[in-house]
Amino acid sequence: MGLSKQQVERYARQLIVPEVGVRGQQQLFQASVLIIGAGGLGSPASLYLAGAGVGRLGIIDSDVVSLGNLHRQIVHATQHVGQPKVASAAQRITQLNPDVVVEPIHDRLRPAMAQELCQRYDLMVDGSDNFPTRYLANDVAVVLGKPLVHAGAIHVGGQVLTVLPRQGACLRCVFPEPPLPDAIPTCQAAGVLGSVAGVVGTLMAHEALKLLLGIGEPLVNRFLIIEGAASRFREVALRRDPACAVCGDHPTIRDILADNPDYQSSPAPAEVCSGLAV
Ligand code: ZN
């Protein structure tokens, strides 16, 4: 399949990148990504994936846009306040790049449908705001054997980890169980600088594009910590835990069961961006 004249023009600065080229661009056209959360992290991630020409983007989020989202959730605009975030994001993405097929899902990732939904995409990026969703996304990725880019941001810092199931550590290898409710502050309580969410969300898109193109070195077994106050990145080396409940040698989580307490939601925070304590 050749590129149209318009596509050559649209992707010109990307096509001449040696790591991309026409072949890489066609790989991106064929690719699909599920973005979990259309908030502070999902916003930049979705825009860069759309701009790059990823063929199909699913976006799942159950919230509506509020005025307090807009300092960091750059896929939305003032006129979208009160609308579902996925509708607002789909509209903006289509305006940015009509080549992209957007699949808005106005819901939260739930155990009953997570496996079937994620099965339809090449990889997932998780910018969700709560631990039940994060653990569910992690477990689904491992059960399905699909890559997952995990991230979080809070205050002026954040973190990113790419999970390649059974090739490297998953979220549970690092944090076997979710923290107790209220043990970790949410963005609603603690806040986040919009530019920090931008850096972290952009890194999510970057990791996803590398995986789709098959280039570079993913953040596997490397927990990237963004120290925004010093503008410093540092890494914590990880390794897969053979005793991990989901990706270990004798996993106890082999299927996504709705009664797993790790997936039970406490009342969802209205804001999107809580981070993991590290
Ligand atoms: Zn694991």
Side-chain angles (χ1 to χ4, degrees):
M1 187 182 74
L3 271 62
S4 70
K5 191 166 171 285
Q6 266 202 333
Q7 286 174 328
V8 169
E9 192 176 341
R10 175 182 288 273
Y11 304 111
R13 298 299 180 277
Q14 186 167 289
L15 288 166
I16 57 174
V17 174
E19 288 83 354
V20 182
V22 173
R23 192 166 156 228
Q25 189 61 55
Q26 286 177 333
Q27 282 173 242
L28 296 181
F29 288 158
Q30 300 298 319
S32 56
V33 174
L34 178 66
I35 299 157
I36 303 168
L41 305 180
S43 285
S46 62
L47 290 171
Y48 278 111
L49 292 172
V54 172
R56 192 162 57 85
L57 290 179
I59 307 180
I60 180 164
D61 195 301
S62 61
D63 272 350
V64 296
V65 179
S66 71
L67 205 53
N69 296 147
L70 297 181
H71 83 284
R72 66 191 185 284
Q73 300 187 13
I74 57 170
V75 78
H76 312 297
T78 306
Q79 73 210 57
H80 298 130
V81 168
Q83 290 181 18
K85 287 184 180 177
V86 289
S88 161
Q91 185 185 359
R92 175 73 183 95
I93 287 168
T94 304
Q95 286 169 349
L96 173 66
N97 190 350
D99 283 353
V100 176
V101 175
V102 192
E103 298 173 342
I105 304 142
H106 188 210
D107 201 345
R108 62 187 175 81
L109 193 70
R110 290 179 288 107
M113 53 70 145
Q115 213 165 328
E116 196 184 330
L117 179 66
C118 294
Q119 184 67 61
R120 298 176 44 228
Y121 297 88
D122 295 327
L123 63 88
M124 288 80 75
V125 298
D126 179 14
S128 65
D129 66 339
N130 61 86
F131 288 98
T133 303
R134 286 175 174 179
Y135 279 78
L136 176 57
N138 181 76
D139 294 354
V140 171
V142 174
V143 167
L144 294 177
K146 293 205 182 238
L148 169 75
V149 182
H150 156 84
I154 199 162
H155 294 171
V156 291
Q159 72 276 320
V160 185
L161 174 69
T162 294
V163 176
L164 290 185
R166 298 192 176 82
Q167 295 179 45
C170 80
L171 183 62
R172 278 191 195 275
C173 293
V174 194
F175 305 101
E177 290 176 348
L180 292 170
D182 304 328
I184 307 286
T186 66
C187 175
Q188 189 175 23
V192 66
L193 197 62
S195 53
V196 171
V199 168
V200 175
T202 301
L203 279 167
M204 290 173 83
H206 181 61
E207 283 295 294
L209 290 174
K210 280 162 51 189
L211 290 169
L212 296 173
L213 291 165
I215 62 169
E217 187 187 342
L219 280 170
V220 173
N221 284 336
R222 297 157 56 207
F223 203 94
L224 183 71
I225 296 170
I226 296 101
E227 298 177 339
S231 291
R232 183 181 292 123
F233 288 17
R234 65 185 172 90
E235 288 182 18
V236 176
L238 305 176
R239 59 178 181 173
R240 187 179 72 88
D241 179 2
C244 175
V246 68
C247 82
D249 295 340
H250 305 286
T252 54
I253 301 170
R254 295 165 181 276
D255 208 351
I256 305 303
L257 302 176
D259 61 357
N260 185 328
D262 294 350
Y263 311 149
Q264 306 305 316
S265 287
S266 47
E271 304 272 327
V272 173
C273 65
S274 68
L276 279 171
V278 288

